[in-house]
Amino acid sequence: MTITQDLSILSLVTNASVLVQAVMTLLLVVSLMSWTYIFRKWFALRAARAQTEKFERDFWSGADLNALYQSAANDRHGSGSLERIFEAGMREYTKLKAAARGDATMQLEGARRAMRATYQREMDDLESHLAFLASAGSVSPYVGLFGTVWGIMNSFRSLANVQQATLANVAPGIAEALVATAIGLFAAIPAVVAYNRFAHDIDRLSIRFESFIEEFSNILQRQAR
């Protein structure tokens, strides 16, 4: 067997110690989960942006609020986050106004509270799995480094049984140990990049939602006069 074959990635992984192999397996599982969440979150945020833009166009085009409310109420599963926020506020405002309970200020506060509660639920849904990506990005390099340190320790311990230490004696052990660090970086880098991008996109959506709540509250206030 040639040296190149001995130092191939597959050979280094299969010949690594049990603990180092366990670290590599753990990091590969984390990487697979990270990529799964990355693709799911990417599609979810793209859909959320498209739905938000569509509803904003419909809302600010001068469409009747009652018609928009009926459309949102009849299709809650197919509506976007912003549409559900609008539907919650409009539903509470209509309910309080029809029951003639309290003054206009109480009706507006009720609508605002309903929109804020729905806003929090929508943000929790958009932010789901971001904590995992943050943890994977911050912890994976250290897990890989642990496997590397352990592998290098075993490599140097094996030199105790060798009368004359050469680079050929320690190179395979050190190389297989460094593979754990490489896998740790492979798991961490995409997770960090995706987390930063998704966090930025979610912050932008959050600002749009909060701005809409304030603007819609002003519209309801003018109607209540």
Side-chain angles (χ1 to χ4, degrees):
M1 183 178 293
T2 63
I3 296 177
T4 302
Q5 291 173 328
D6 287 340
L7 297 181
S8 65
I9 299 297
L10 181 60
S11 177
L12 293 174
V13 172
T14 55
N15 293 328
S17 63
V18 176
L19 181 60
V20 176
Q21 287 181 341
V23 169
M24 293 178 183
T25 302
L26 175 62
L27 291 172
L28 288 175
V29 171
V30 170
S31 178
L32 180 61
M33 293 178 63
S34 295
W35 280 106
T36 301
Y37 291 143
I38 287 171
F39 282 111
R40 289 176 58 184
K41 187 59 62 179
W42 184 76
F43 284 115
L45 290 178
R46 187 177 69 169
R49 286 193 300 269
Q51 291 169 336
T52 299
E53 292 170 358
K54 178 181 181 301
F55 180 74
E56 285 181 336
R57 286 196 303 268
D58 295 339
F59 184 85
W60 296 114
S61 64
D64 182 64
L65 293 181
N66 291 323
L68 288 175
Y69 169 65
Q70 291 298 328
S71 176
N74 294 332
D75 188 22
R76 292 184 180 179
H77 297 289
S79 59
S81 298
L82 188 59
E83 192 170 1
R84 286 190 286 270
I85 292 172
F86 161 77
E87 189 265 339
M90 193 69 180
R91 182 180 65 251
E92 187 66 17
Y93 177 79
T94 304
K95 184 188 303 181
L96 293 176
K97 189 175 182 179
R101 290 182 296 179
D103 56 11
T105 301
M106 183 178 296
Q107 295 168 8
L108 292 173
E109 288 300 321
R112 184 186 293 271
R113 285 194 299 270
M115 287 190 289
R116 296 298 302 183
T118 304
Y119 163 82
Q120 292 295 337
R121 287 194 295 269
E122 295 299 327
M123 292 306 301
D124 286 342
D125 184 63
L126 289 175
E127 292 173 352
S128 62
H129 305 309
L130 282 188
F132 177 84
L133 293 178
S135 298
S138 59
V139 174
S140 293
Y142 296 104
V143 176
L145 183 60
F146 170 74
T148 297
V149 171
W150 187 269
I152 292 177
M153 286 173 55
N154 286 337
S155 180
F156 280 108
R157 285 174 59 191
S158 65
L159 294 179
N161 300 323
V162 178
Q163 294 181 350
Q164 184 176 1
T166 64
L167 182 61
N169 297 127
V170 297
I174 295 177
E176 72 184 26
L178 291 175
V179 172
T181 297
I183 297 176
L185 294 175
F186 176 77
I189 293 174
V192 171
V193 173
Y195 172 82
N196 291 332
R197 178 60 188 179
F198 294 155
H200 172 73
D201 292 342
I202 291 173
D203 284 341
R204 289 176 61 86
L205 285 173
S206 175
I207 293 172
R208 294 172 73 173
F209 295 164
E210 290 183 327
S211 298
F212 175 81
I213 291 174
E214 296 301 322
E215 292 167 342
F216 184 50
S217 296
N218 292 333
I219 293 175
L220 293 179
Q221 185 176 13
R222 288 194 297 268
Q223 288 188 350
R225 292 176 180 176

